[in-house]
Structure formats: structure tokens, C-alpha cells
Amino acid sequence: TNTMQFVWDFGNGDSSQALFPSSLFTAIPERDTSYIVRLIATNAFGCSDTAFDQITLYPNPIADFMPATTLECAPFQIDTSIIRVNLFPDANDSYAWEVFDPISGNVLQSFSGVNSLTYTILQDDDSVGIRLITQNLHACQPDTQTVVFRTLPDPVANFSLSSNTSCHPAFIQAYDSSTVGVTHLWYVNGNLRSSIANPVFNLGNTSLTADSTYIIELVVTAGTGCTDTLRDTVTVFALPDPAFGATEVCETYTTVFTDASSTIDSLVQWSWSFGDGDSAFIPDPVHTYDTFGVFWVELTVTERRGCSQIFGDSVIVRPNPSNDFVLQHACYPDSICVGSTVNLNDSTFLPSLGQPISQWNWDIGADGSIEYSSQHPQHSFSTLGRVDVALYTQTIYGCVDT
């Protein structure tokens, strides 16, 4: 070999005539790089031979990703929808993710696969580190990239209500005590009702058989766009349903009132106004009116929780007839001739509220025996002397006079 000559061409612009040469080969990043090495050997007689071989350099793994954002409000979901990974298929054969505590370094969760990362930071003002680890099949040195993701501090929603229970209608004042500098959105049972800090809500209950429950929700938003929500409830009690019945009577008789109210709770108070200045405070009172007429009666009932309701209706007291009659005959004005026919003409007075009269009963002699039942009968007196005549009338409402 001492008489042989060697000519090396390494394919990288470098050459040598040494028996055991060396050369530095550099790889092109991101992909495989091949070099053709040529050796020409010549002996002392000028004979030569040529040999070729190939050297392949593999790129080191490359971990490279770019997040669209690293700072968001909680909950902050971190996945490949916000992270763009540069794949480098010639350099990388496997991808792994680690989620770790940036303070302690402890791994919280691991994922295998380029698109497998999915982690949510649930708490506000928190942070995690995201590490991408890439490897290849050629035992080259793994590569890593680490980015810290953070959540912004949330505002704090806080409020109190003037009351959590009320009778209908309920006017509920809200008092905001949230973080300063936020915007407010108030919802009642999911419907937006106000955007001021301290609104008043008019909450009703039109049901007579069930209480109504309202969910008051406050959503506050800080300048960062982060939000917080707080909820409270208000119960609006069902009102009692007052009602009553009353007997319809003739004047001088007593009207009987009967309470017919209902409630989902229990009644504890009754207040009656009889329409003539008198009142009562028991469930089923009686009352005698001084005169006939139509009276507007109001009943106010109160249930155990303090809810009251009023009901009014007309009560009628019918007038009694004021009986009177005149005699029409051919004799002297103050006397009647025996055997002559006399017209007994009814002239009873009855106000329109009591009309009409439905019965006339004439008792000639006032002995309890009814001789006539018409309004204007005729009669012939057969005996001399004083004769008492009684007229009994009755209206269609049963009111009478004698």
C-alpha cells in the first residue's frame, strides 16, 4: 500500500489523498441529506480502480409549535385548534405532549400524538406549561418546546336583594357589590331584564294555586372580557282568593254572610265592609241593614304569610210593600149601603227594587179567612155595622205587608 495512491472525493466539496482520511459532513435541516463518496486507488504500475459509497445524514427531531393565544379567560381550553404544529415529517416520527405545573414542574397530564392535546384550565388567574416532545426512529436527540399558558383573573359578581319572598306584586330591589369597573347584565328566568347596576324587578304571581319562583342572575364582564355569574331566587306568594255568599232578604231582616275564600296557605284575618258604614272581622258575620237598597260589600282576607286580597259584590235588601186600598161605591163617602157592590181597589206602594207584587189576599172581617186573592176584587156587605177589612200583599221576593 505504500506504493499505491488514493484519491478521495467526499461529495461535499472536500477531497483527500490520505489512506485514512476524515471529512466533516453537514446535514440539511428538516430532511435527510445524502453524500456520494468516491475513492480512486492507483498502483505503481498505473492500474486503478474506483469505488463508490453513500453516506446519509438524518436531521435531528424538531419540536416547533405556535399558539394563537396564551392568555384567555377561564375556562381556557388548550388544544390543536389554537396551536399550529410544524410537522417536519423527515425529522420527526413521534409527537408527545406534557402538561405540567410551571412552578413545581410536576407533570399533570400526558398525551401521545400530534393532535391528541386537549386540556382546560378551569380556574381563573392560573397557569400551566405545555411541552411538545419530538423523536425519530434513528435515535437522534429528542427535541422539546415549552410555552406557558395563563388565565386572566375573573371579576367577582356579587349582589343582594331587598327580599327573597314577597306577596304579589313584588318590587325587588337589587344591590350590586361586584368588582368595580364591570358591566352588568341581569336576567330573570333566563330573560334579559336590565343592564344597570342596581335595578328594581317587578315580579308577579297571577296564579291563585301556586307560588311563583324567579331566578335572578347577574353576569358581570370586566374590560378583559372575562365574566362571572351569580344567581339568587325570589319566591312570590300566591294571593288568597276571596269570595263570599250572602242571603238576599227583605228589609228589617238579617243578612247572613258566608265566607267562601280559598288560599294555598291558611287564612288568619277577615275584614268586612258592609257598605253602610258598619264592619265585622269574623269569617261568617250577620248584619241587619236599616233600610232597603243595594249595598256594595267588600271582604278583605289575609293569609298567614301576610298576603291580602279584596273582593267586592253587591248585596240587595228588598223593600217591603206599604199596603193601602180605597173603597169605590155608590153610597155616601164615609158609609156603605148594605147589599151594594163595593170595589176594593188596591193602592199599595212598592219601590221598583221590590216590584212586582205577586200575591193579594183580602180578609173581609179580619177573621183570618181569605175571601179574595185578586188585586181589585168586588164585595157586597150584607150586615150593618163596622167591618174590618185586611189586605195582605207579598212580592215575588217574599216581602210582605198587612
Side-chain angles (χ1 to χ4, degrees):
T1 58
N2 292 335
T3 59
M4 293 187 67
Q5 296 179 352
F6 301 94
V7 178
W8 297 85
D9 182 358
F10 298 109
N12 61 354
D14 195 5
S15 63
S16 177
Q17 294 182 358
L19 178 61
F20 299 106
S22 63
S23 183
L24 179 63
F25 294 89
T26 57
I28 299 175
E30 305 174 15
R31 61 183 177 87
D32 296 347
T33 305
S34 296
Y35 295 90
I36 303 297
V37 179
R38 183 184 66 187
L39 171 61
I40 302 174
T42 305
N43 61 21
F45 303 102
C47 298
S48 64
D49 191 20
T50 302
F52 295 89
D53 203 352
Q54 179 175 299
I55 296 175
T56 300
L57 300 182
Y58 299 110
N60 287 322
I62 302 172
D64 183 38
F65 67 90
M66 181 174 293
T69 178
T70 60
L71 187 63
E72 285 290 341
C73 303
F76 184 8
Q77 182 169 322
I78 305 168
D79 54 32
T80 50
S81 67
I82 66 163
I83 293 178
R84 181 173 61 84
V85 180
N86 292 319
L87 298 180
F88 304 111
D90 289 335
N92 302 328
D93 291 307
S94 67
Y95 300 82
W97 299 91
E98 289 181 345
V99 181
F100 63 93
D101 184 333
I103 298 176
S104 67
N106 294 332
V107 175
L108 305 175
Q109 199 166 350
S110 299
F111 304 89
S112 179
V114 66
N115 294 315
S116 61
L117 173 65
T118 175
Y119 186 84
T120 301
I121 306 177
L122 297 175
Q123 301 299 322
D124 68 304
D125 199 17
D126 198 1
S127 63
V128 296
I130 301 294
R131 180 184 295 121
L132 173 62
I133 306 169
T134 57
Q135 301 183 70
N136 62 27
L137 300 176
H138 308 294
C140 298
Q141 180 68 33
D143 191 27
T144 63
Q145 181 187 355
T146 299
V147 174
V148 175
F149 292 77
R150 295 180 173 84
T151 53
L152 292 161
D154 282 343
V156 177
N158 196 29
F159 68 91
S160 61
L161 300 173
S162 57
S163 178
N164 290 96
T165 58
S166 179
C167 302
H168 168 86
F171 294 92
I172 305 299
Q173 173 74 62
Y175 302 98
D176 174 62
S177 55
S178 304
T179 303
V180 176
V182 296
T183 61
H184 303 76
L185 292 177
W186 294 88
Y187 296 85
V188 176
N189 287 353
N191 298 311
L192 180 62
R193 292 285 288 270
S194 180
S195 59
I196 64 175
N198 301 295
V200 176
F201 301 108
N202 182 2
L203 307 177
N205 184 349
T206 57
S207 171
L208 297 173
T209 58
D211 296 338
S212 294
T213 300
Y214 294 89
I215 298 175
I216 309 297
E217 178 182 87
L218 170 62
V219 179
V220 295
T221 304
T224 59
C226 298
T227 64
D228 189 30
T229 300
L230 183 65
R231 298 176 181 87
D232 202 354
T233 59
V234 173
T235 300
V236 180
F237 300 137
L239 293 178
D241 184 16
F244 65 83
T247 57
E248 184 176 300
V249 299
C250 302
E251 60 180 311
T252 73
Y253 285 84
T254 297
T255 302
V256 177
F257 293 90
T258 303
D259 175 47
S261 305
S262 61
T263 178
I264 66 170
D265 202 83
S266 58
L267 296 177
V268 295
Q269 185 175 335
W270 295 260
S271 178
W272 297 85
S273 175
F274 295 121
D276 63 351
D278 284 346
S279 58
F281 303 96
I282 60 176
D284 302 305
V286 295
H287 182 65
T288 302
Y289 289 93
D290 293 335
T291 183
F292 68 87
V294 179
F295 300 89
W296 182 255
V297 177
E298 291 184 342
L299 168 62
T300 302
V301 293
T302 303
E303 49 106 271
R304 179 184 57 85
R305 298 173 297 185
C307 299
S308 298
Q309 182 78 302
I310 189 170
F311 171 74
D313 201 0
S314 296
V315 171
I316 299 176
V317 177
R318 302 287 179 178
N320 292 323
S322 296
N323 287 354
D324 197 9
F325 61 89
V326 295
L327 304 179
Q328 184 180 1
H329 53 86
C331 296
Y332 297 102
D334 56 352
S335 62
I336 299 172
C337 299
V338 173
S340 64
T341 299
V342 178
N343 293 325
L344 304 175
N345 292 332
D346 170 49
S347 60
T348 298
F349 172 75
L350 179 62
S352 60
L353 186 62
Q355 295 178 3
I357 295 174
S358 59
Q359 294 182 25
W360 294 265
N361 292 312
W362 298 85
D363 180 1
I364 308 300
D367 56 3
S369 175
I370 303 301
E371 279 74 25
Y372 304 104
S373 296
S374 60
Q375 184 177 7
H376 305 295
Q378 292 181 333
H379 182 73
S380 178
F381 291 91
S382 58
T383 60
L384 297 175
R386 175 184 173 88
V387 179
D388 291 329
V389 178
L391 169 61
Y392 304 91
T393 59
Q394 180 174 308
T395 71
I396 61 171
Y397 304 107
C399 301
V400 299
D401 189 27
T402 301

